[in-house]
């Protein structure tokens, strides 16, 4: 006799499953379909994925100088911090580039101006193209050089996923900005009219964390003054933070996210210092968590990005970029001050990592059809 | 068969509680373990408040929804959990205990039939045994993770309410999710072969109706070694049973084999 299992228990059990299993179980029965596609369940499942590091996949995004490939290399990460075999993920849109990622969703764009943007869930194989939003040039800036930046993040207050596009216009002495925000809930763009401070964006990417988008900005007037600007996706206002240490001329700084906190890295030829803002939004909580001596990592590394902590928090996974161009994934042991390179011959030569976690978001998007998949259709096994 | 619990740790509380299962078995359990079942804890606390005079006698807490076999397993799992009243161990002892617990958990799951998991979850839910529920829910999720849709339906007793063309549509759209999963039959076979079966002599059964008739072609007579034994020595019901044989030709060379 089958014991009665109440629906809350079924929900509990299903929330512990990886994405592939849940997508398959959509066709068990209509009740399970409704359960799995329910927004509250999707949130619960995502939370559980983040906590248990389930389905954590690193997508190795090749840089724009490599010849375009049809597939991304990806590698999954098991609970005990071991890398599994690399596999291939079909690019939903050929010749598009990864700009940002959040909660299992990846933001892609095409073109220098980043007019065409799409959001993709690689583990569910669905994507959605955003409506194209033109860049409105400010008056008197018709011959300006312009550069667009994209960021993709979650706004917890409105439970919405948003894309921020900041376009800078440079003329000889002055600069202007155009700022637009896209909301997944409303599937529309909106222009932000707030007065933007006269500071250039001086880092490679904008970072979204906990409802804010952060970047490093350099003052146009006072050359060496570097600050961190944060744009809140809910209130749509800017806030300025000071960097933990004022950097010197010959130091190369970058901003990153590590373990859910904002991370500030100062590189020079001898050392790299890593600071973490232990309490989000509190400037005084900047703490130096470790310092890597260059010779420990390798002689000619140019810079690195922090990716994640290991499960016990004692090691940090770094994406190391060498001067010769080669990229490596390295585990750095904070206590022992030693590095362990992740050896994997199938990693591309140069790459940037986009991290995904098991998420059922965007199940209602367009399908990504892998041409190799079509060939296997004939040999379906039961 | 009532289960008397040992008292391995002399420093722990020796207060015991009696639990009665659906099949009227009585279990004496240490208070520390029984308190992990929040339903029991609630019952005990309600009892405490109500009748102070009757506190001298041991209250028997009825568990009408839990069978003795299931309760045995839940109690033995509960004992392996860190006790709330235990003295705090140092780091090394904690690590050793964690490893022991993991080993025990693995052993427990190995010998468990998947159907028993559902009983354990249902009982742990009724008893509000949070750690047990957490563990068995995860074990069940791990078990069904790589299984087919048909297996899951059979396992939970779910009726498929999709039209064939609707289901076919899903299978085509999400073909990638159906790759590399355990075939239903192989799964069942694995479970069957994991358990060894033993034959028990049941003796002679009388009064079975309808009486089975031995097939006309089956051999009869006395066993050549011991005339007390009548042929057929071993028999099972059924005719024209298909057995395995190699490709073109059966063992007898006849067109049909029995």
């Amino acid at each position: 006799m089958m014991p009665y299992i109440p629906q809350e228990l079924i929900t509990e059990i299903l929330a512990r499953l990886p994405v592939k299993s849940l997508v398959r179980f959509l066709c068990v029965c209509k009740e399970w379909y409704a359960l799995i596609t329910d927004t509250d369940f999707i949130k619960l499942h995502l939370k559980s994925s983040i906590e248990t590091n389930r389905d954590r996949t690193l997508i190795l995004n090749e840089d724009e100088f490599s010849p375009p490939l049809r597939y991304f290399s990806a590698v999954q990460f098991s609970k005990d911090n071991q890398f599994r075999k690399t596999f291939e993920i079909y690019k939903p849109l050929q010749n598009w580039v990864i700009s940002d990622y959040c909660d299992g969703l990846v933001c892609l764009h095409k073109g220098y101006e980043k007019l065409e943007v799409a959001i993709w869930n690689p583990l569910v194989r669905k994507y959605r193209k955003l409506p194209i939003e033109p860049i409105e040039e400010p008056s008197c800036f018709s011959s300006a050089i312009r550069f667009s930046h994209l960021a993709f993040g979650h706004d917890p207050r409105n439970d919405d996923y948003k894309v921020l596009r900041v376009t800078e216009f440079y003329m000889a002495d002055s600069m202007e900005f155009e700022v637009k925000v896209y909301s997944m809930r409303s599937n529309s763009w909106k222009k932000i009219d707030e007065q933007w401070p006269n500071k250039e964006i001086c880092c490679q990417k904008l970072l979204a964390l906990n409802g804010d988008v952060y970047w490093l900005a350099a003052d146009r007037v006072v050359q060496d003054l570097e600050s961190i600007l944060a744009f809140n996706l809910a209130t749509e206002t800017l806030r300025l933070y000071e960097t933990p240490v004022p950097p010197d001329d010959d130091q190369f700084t970058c901003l990153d996210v590590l373990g859910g906190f904002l991370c500030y890295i100062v590189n020079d030829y001898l050392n790299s210092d890593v600071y973490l803002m232990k309490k989000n939004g509190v400037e005084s909580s900047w703490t130096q968590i470790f310092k890597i001596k260059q010779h420990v990592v390798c002689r000619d590394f140019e810079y690195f990005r922090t990716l994640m902590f290991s499960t016990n928090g004692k090691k940090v996974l770094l994406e190391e970029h060498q001067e010769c161009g080669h990229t490596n994934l390295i585990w750095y042991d904070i206590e022992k001050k030693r590095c362990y390179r992740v050896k994997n011959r199938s990693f591309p030569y140069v790459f940037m990592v986009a991290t995904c976690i098991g998420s059922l978001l965007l199940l209602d998007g367009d399908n990504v059809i892998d041409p190799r998949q079509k060939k296997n259709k004939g040999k379906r096994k039961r | 068969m009532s289960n008397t619990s040992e008292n391995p740790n002399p420093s722990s509380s020796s207060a015991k509680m009696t639990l009665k299962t659906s099949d009227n078995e009585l279990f004496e359990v240490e208070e520390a373990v029984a308190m992990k079942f929040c339903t029991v804890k609630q019952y005990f606390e309600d009892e405490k408040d109500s009748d102070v005079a009757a506190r001298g006698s041991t209250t028997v807490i009825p568990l009408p929804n839990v069978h003795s076999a299931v309760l045995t397993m839940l109690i033995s799992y509960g004992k392996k959990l860190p006790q709330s009243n235990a003295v705090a161990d140092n780091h090394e002892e904690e690590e050793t205990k964690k490893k022991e617990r993991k080993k025990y958990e693995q052993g427990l799951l190995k010998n468990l039939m998947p159907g028993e998991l559902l009983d354990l979850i249902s009982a742990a839910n009724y008893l509000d045994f949070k750690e047990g529920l957490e563990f068995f829910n995860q074990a069940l999720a791990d078990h069904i993770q790589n299984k087919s849709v048909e297996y899951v339906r059979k396992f939970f007793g779910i009726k498929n309410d999709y039209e064939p063309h609707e289901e076919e549509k899903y299978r085509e759209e999400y073909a990638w999710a159906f790759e590399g999963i355990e075939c239903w039959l192989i799964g069942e076979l694995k479970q069957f072969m994991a358990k060894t079966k033993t034959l028990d002599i049941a003796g002679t059964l009388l009064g079975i109706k309808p009486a089975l008739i031995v097939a006309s072609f089956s051999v009869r007579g006395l066993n050549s070694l011991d005339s007390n034994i009548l042929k057929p020595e071993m028999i099972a019901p059924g005719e024209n049973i298909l057995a395995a044989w190699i490709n073109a030709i059966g063992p007898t060379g006849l067109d049909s084999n029995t």
Side-chain angles (χ1 to χ4, degrees):
Chain A
M1 198 184 74
M2 200 78 65
Y4 168 66
I5 307 280
Q7 221 211 28
E8 312 91 61
L9 276 187
I10 301 268
T11 308
E12 266 288 317
I13 294 166
L14 291 181
R16 292 161 188 273
L17 288 172
V19 168
K20 182 179 171 187
S21 309
L22 286 171
V23 168
R24 186 169 66 246
F25 295 159
L26 279 174
C27 76
V28 165
C29 66
K30 290 185 182 169
E31 196 188 319
W32 276 37
Y33 181 88
L35 205 154
I36 295 171
T37 52
D38 175 53
T39 35
D40 287 327
F41 175 77
I42 292 178
K43 262 198 265 177
L44 172 71
H45 176 259
L46 177 62
K47 185 159 167 275
S48 152
S49 288
I50 293 174
E51 281 168 13
T52 59
N53 234 0
R54 185 173 50 221
D55 276 333
R56 190 171 270 279
T57 314
L58 301 181
I59 298 182
L60 309 175
N61 185 21
E62 312 219 2
D63 69 347
E64 57 246 37
F65 305 113
S66 313
L69 290 176
R70 299 172 80 201
Y71 291 84
F72 286 116
S73 295
V75 62
Q76 275 208 329
F77 208 61
S78 65
K79 285 185 197 174
D80 48 353
N81 298 322
Q82 294 299 318
F83 285 95
R84 297 216 192 107
K85 232 173 82 171
T86 37
F87 58 100
E88 290 187 322
I89 296 184
Y90 187 68
K91 292 185 186 177
L93 299 154
Q94 299 299 312
N95 301 321
W96 287 49
V97 175
I98 294 182
S99 28
D100 204 354
Y101 49 91
C102 173
D103 283 352
L105 293 175
V106 176
C107 181
L108 303 158
H109 74 266
K110 185 177 181 188
Y112 184 66
E113 290 188 327
K114 301 177 177 138
L115 285 173
E116 290 190 77
V117 185
I119 297 175
W120 171 46
N121 183 335
L123 295 175
V124 160
R125 306 196 189 190
K126 297 263 183 168
Y127 75 102
R128 179 183 293 157
K129 275 193 189 172
L130 271 51
I132 295 182
E133 180 71 18
I135 297 176
E136 286 161 47
E137 221 170 55
S139 47
C140 317
F141 274 80
S142 50
S143 59
I145 301 171
R146 49 175 155 173
F147 196 73
S148 292
H149 302 261
L150 282 179
F152 175 61
H154 181 238
D155 167 11
R157 207 182 293 189
N158 299 314
D159 190 27
D160 194 2
Y161 286 89
K162 294 186 171 165
V163 177
L164 173 71
R165 186 179 73 199
V166 180
T167 312
E168 295 173 301
F169 297 89
Y170 293 96
M171 291 270 271
D173 297 331
S174 48
M175 71 181 300
E176 267 292 330
F177 294 88
E178 188 226 48
V179 183
K180 286 195 170 164
V181 175
Y182 166 86
S183 140
M184 247 176 96
R185 269 189 192 274
S186 65
N187 193 26
S188 63
W189 290 89
K190 181 172 115 173
K191 186 166 178 192
I192 306 293
D193 289 315
E194 163 129 347
Q195 191 57 259
W196 220 250
N198 203 17
K199 290 180 190 290
E200 273 180 59
I201 297 175
C202 63
C203 55
Q204 281 184 337
K205 356 163 53 184
L206 310 185
L207 292 164
L209 176 67
N210 286 338
D212 287 295
V213 179
Y214 297 88
W215 63 89
L216 284 173
D219 199 274
R220 270 213 129 188
V221 176
V222 183
Q223 268 305 312
D224 286 335
L225 182 63
E226 192 178 77
S227 352
I228 298 174
L229 282 175
F231 176 79
N232 186 288
L233 291 168
T235 61
E236 295 172 351
T237 51
L238 267 181
R239 208 189 130 164
L240 197 134
Y241 292 99
E242 277 181 17
T243 57
V245 286
D248 291 331
D249 254 340
D250 58 349
Q251 285 181 327
F252 177 57
T253 56
C254 37
L255 212 57
D256 223 325
V257 171
L258 180 61
F261 300 108
L262 195 63
C263 180
Y264 183 74
I265 307 165
V266 184
N267 295 297
D268 64 28
Y269 294 109
L270 298 170
N271 305 299
S272 292
D273 293 326
V274 178
Y275 297 85
L276 218 59
M277 185 189 254
K278 292 232 156 155
K279 289 199 193 137
N280 279 316
V282 178
E283 230 168 24
S284 52
S285 67
W286 280 114
T287 324
Q288 182 179 22
I289 51 164
F290 59 88
K291 177 196 216 83
I292 300 183
K293 297 216 189 310
Q294 271 252 12
H295 69 88
V296 171
V297 183
C298 123
R299 257 175 304 140
D300 42 68
F301 95 78
E302 197 189 338
Y303 72 96
F304 62 82
R305 277 186 59 209
T306 50
L307 292 175
M308 61 176 94
F309 281 113
S310 62
T311 325
N312 58 11
K314 293 194 180 146
K315 292 197 207 146
V316 183
L317 186 65
L318 305 173
E319 182 191 294
E320 177 212 22
H321 292 258
Q322 292 184 357
E323 268 173 30
C324 60
H326 191 34
T327 316
N328 278 315
L329 285 182
I330 294 183
W331 280 111
Y332 177 74
D333 190 315
I334 302 174
E335 276 170 39
K336 295 182 190 165
K337 298 196 204 289
R338 281 178 51 196
C339 282
Y340 307 90
R341 184 167 304 172
V342 177
K343 294 199 174 96
N344 192 318
R345 286 207 199 118
S346 36
F347 283 173
Y349 192 68
V350 189
F351 57 86
M352 296 274 278
V353 171
T355 319
C356 280
I357 198 103
S359 147
L360 290 166
L361 292 161
L362 213 61
L363 260 178
D364 54 347
D366 302 325
N367 276 312
V368 178
I369 315 272
D370 184 347
R372 283 190 205 165
Q373 186 74 47
K374 273 192 173 163
K375 283 188 205 154
N376 288 330
K377 218 171 98 166
K379 326 183 217 158
R380 190 157 60 97
K381 294 184 193 142
R382 279 289 309 277
Chain B
M1 112 199 129
S2 67
N3 190 6
T4 44
S5 52
E6 333 87 43
N7 201 352
N9 193 351
S11 67
S12 73
S13 154
S14 56
K16 290 207 177 32
M17 303 176 68
T18 314
L19 307 173
K20 187 163 119 176
T21 61
S22 59
D23 46 331
N24 290 323
E25 295 289 348
L26 293 171
F27 283 76
E28 256 192 29
V29 190
E30 284 163 34
E31 198 174 292
V33 176
M35 285 307 184
K36 289 194 187 288
F37 305 156
C38 295
T39 314
V40 170
K41 188 174 170 192
Q42 191 60 52
Y43 190 100
F44 182 69
E45 280 169 3
D46 290 343
E47 282 285 303
K48 240 178 15 176
D49 295 332
S50 61
D51 202 337
V52 187
R55 271 256 276 163
S57 59
T58 339
T59 342
V60 176
I61 299 177
L63 303 172
N65 287 351
V66 186
H67 192 270
S68 55
V70 176
L71 189 63
T72 316
M73 277 194 265
L74 289 177
I75 290 173
S76 72
Y77 184 73
K79 283 195 192 151
K80 289 286 176 180
L81 293 171
Q83 305 297 331
S84 45
N85 59 347
V87 177
D89 309 306
N90 64 30
H91 187 68
E92 266 177 38
E93 279 179 19
E94 224 180 273
E95 288 291 311
T96 338
K97 275 198 182 166
K98 260 193 197 165
K99 280 188 193 161
E100 264 179 38
R101 183 172 148 197
K102 232 184 167 173
K103 216 171 150 190
Y104 166 77
E105 282 174 356
Q106 280 172 359
L108 179 70
L109 290 178
K110 225 168 147 187
N111 293 323
L112 211 58
M113 290 287 275
E116 290 173 319
L117 259 178
L118 277 180
D119 292 322
L120 283 163
I121 288 173
S122 182
N125 186 42
Y126 169 74
L127 290 170
D128 199 6
F129 177 17
K130 293 191 171 58
E131 295 102 325
L133 201 56
E134 166 90 26
F135 174 68
F136 292 116
N137 274 343
Q138 186 61 51
L140 185 57
D142 290 338
H143 175 70
I144 61 172
Q145 181 179 320
N146 229 20
K147 297 287 193 292
S148 67
V149 168
E150 293 87 353
Y151 181 91
V152 170
R153 284 183 191 140
K154 188 166 183 277
F155 189 81
F156 287 97
I158 296 174
K159 188 165 175 277
N160 178 14
D161 51 357
Y162 278 116
E163 299 291 321
H165 69 271
E166 283 177 326
E167 190 178 329
E168 190 57 40
K169 199 179 105 189
Y170 280 132
R171 286 179 178 269
E172 259 195 53
E173 190 182 349
Y174 298 114
W176 55 270
F178 289 83
E179 283 175 2
I181 55 168
E182 215 174 287
C183 168
W184 174 48
L185 268 175
I186 303 283
E188 298 263 300
L189 251 176
K190 267 195 199 168
Q191 274 172 42
F192 177 78
M193 288 167 67
K195 288 279 184 177
T196 49
K197 310 280 179 188
T198 50
L199 288 171
D200 277 325
I201 309 288
T204 310
L205 301 173
L206 299 170
I208 308 289
K209 282 185 181 157
L212 299 172
I213 302 173
V214 178
S216 58
F217 47 79
S218 288
V219 69
R220 289 163 169 73
L222 305 173
N223 184 298
S224 51
L225 298 173
D226 183 352
S227 53
N228 286 316
I229 300 171
L230 292 175
K231 289 182 184 287
E233 292 89 347
M234 180 177 270
I235 191 164
E239 272 190 50
N240 289 332
I241 308 288
L242 282 175
W245 60 87
I246 55 162
N247 290 323
I249 185 172
T252 62
L254 294 173
D255 288 312
S256 66
N257 287 286
T258 43

